[in-house]
């Protein structure tokens, strides 16, 4: 006998009441989700995450008291089973990269469609990164070396690549340049399942949580170099 699947528990954090309500109204009617709480600042988001133990926090990046980047870092460190999906007004935002560095598993612009929001919450709940690969690399290549980005202890810079095999380094490089798993498989002449196995091993050896942090690490180590500092490029 198969039981009813567990609903994905979601906490919504945004300092704009209309945005919070709108996001909740998108998710609440879907039986796959349960909106357990709403927060209007980053500190409240951290407190409510401890209280309700959501699976996913939909987190506005720019909030008072404690901003979304700081709140993300605390949740990622204190509640590692909880995933954070960052929200930003703009696609190209240096604070999005700071949130990914701090432990967010993906990001969405605030004008996201209901279908995209639901899909992204499901994606980060499974442990994957909810960022289009090419947009992710474009973001990170633009902002990852910007000195203003706050540093987070949750992502340890990788200075020694010795533990990675040559094939793993090749996969990591292709991943960091914006290829998805199918494109990596095609480029290397291997199966998608083999690519997934390589990526799992890479994540473990780099001590990163997901694809987003793996791409950041690739830029930080110099495995991939930014092509341009122009966000519109």
């Amino acid at each position: 006998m198969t039981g009813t699947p567990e609903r994905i528990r979601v906490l919504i954090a945004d300092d704009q009441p209309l945005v919070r309500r709108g996001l909740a109204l998108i998710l609440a009617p879907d039986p796959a989700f349960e909106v357990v709480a709403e927060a209007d600042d980053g500190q409240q988001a951290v407190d409510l995450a401890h209280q309700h133990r959501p699976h996913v926090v939909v987190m506005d990046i720019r909030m008072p008291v404690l901003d979304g980047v700081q709140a993300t870092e605390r949740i990622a460190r204190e509640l590692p089973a909880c995933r954070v999906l960052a929200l930003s007004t703009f696609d190209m935002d240096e604070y999005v990269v700071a949130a990914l560095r701090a432990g967010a598993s993906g990001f969405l612009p605030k004008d996201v469609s209901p279908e995209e929001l639901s899909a992204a919450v499901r994606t980060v709940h499974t442990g994957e990164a909810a960022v289009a690969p090419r947009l992710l690399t474009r973001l990170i290549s633009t902002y990852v070396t910007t000195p203003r980005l706050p540093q987070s202890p949750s992502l340890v810079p990788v200075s020694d690549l010795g533990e990675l095999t040559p094939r793993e380094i090749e996969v990591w490089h292709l991943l960091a340049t914006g290829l998805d798993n199918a494109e990596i498989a095609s480029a290397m002449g291997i199966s998608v399942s083999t690519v997934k196995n390589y990526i799992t091993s890479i994540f473990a050896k780099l001590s990163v949580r997901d694809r987003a942090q793996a791409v950041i690490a690739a830029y930080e180590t110099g495995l991939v170099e930014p092509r341009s500092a122009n966000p519109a490029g």
Side-chain angles (χ1 to χ4, degrees):
M1 182 175 178
T2 304
T4 304
E6 183 183 13
R7 299 173 79 185
I8 301 173
R9 297 164 56 81
V10 182
L11 187 157
I12 297 171
D14 195 293
D15 62 333
Q16 299 179 46
L18 286 177
V19 174
R20 289 200 309 273
R21 196 87 298 266
L23 294 171
L25 288 173
I26 288 172
L27 296 175
D30 190 324
F33 303 115
E34 179 185 3
V35 178
V36 296
E38 297 178 23
D40 57 17
D41 63 60
Q43 182 59 57
Q44 191 177 48
V46 174
D47 294 341
L48 289 174
H50 277 277
Q51 180 181 342
H52 294 279
R53 300 299 171 112
H55 298 114
V56 177
V57 178
V58 179
M59 179 84 74
D60 184 22
I61 290 178
R62 299 171 189 256
M63 288 189 294
V65 185
L66 192 70
D67 69 30
V69 175
Q70 295 170 304
T72 294
E73 191 279 325
R74 283 193 54 187
I75 289 172
R77 173 167 42 86
E78 298 169 11
L79 299 168
C82 180
R83 301 289 173 174
V84 175
L85 179 61
L87 285 179
S88 173
T89 305
F90 307 103
D91 285 351
M92 298 302 291
D93 184 346
E94 62 186 309
Y95 288 94
V96 169
V97 177
L100 295 171
R101 187 195 300 271
S105 296
F107 88 95
L108 292 173
K110 284 193 175 181
D111 60 356
V112 66
S113 72
E115 295 77 16
E116 289 170 325
L117 174 64
S118 298
V121 171
R122 285 185 170 92
T123 296
V124 298
H125 176 52
T126 66
E128 297 293 326
V131 189
R134 284 182 176 81
L135 180 55
L136 174 65
T137 54
R138 184 165 159 245
L139 258 172
I140 293 170
S141 68
T142 301
Y143 292 120
V144 78
T145 57
T146 302
R148 286 174 295 158
L149 286 177
Q151 298 297 314
S152 168
S154 63
L155 181 59
V156 179
V158 182
S159 57
D160 182 6
L161 307 185
E163 290 189 6
L164 294 175
T165 68
R167 293 289 270 179
E168 287 171 344
I169 292 175
E170 184 178 359
V171 170
W172 185 24
H173 182 272
L174 293 173
L175 179 157
T177 57
L179 273 60
D180 62 25
N181 290 358
E183 291 168 333
I184 294 172
S186 176
M188 296 183 64
I190 56 180
S191 69
V192 172
S193 62
T194 300
V195 171
K196 290 179 179 178
N197 290 338
Y198 276 130
I199 290 174
T200 297
S201 177
I202 291 165
F203 288 179
K205 290 180 179 180
L206 297 180
S207 298
V208 299
R209 286 176 55 159
D210 54 35
R211 202 178 200 96
Q213 290 195 341
V215 174
I216 290 173
Y219 280 87
E220 289 182 330
T221 60
L223 180 72
V224 179
E225 295 184 358
R227 293 181 180 178
S228 171
N230 179 9

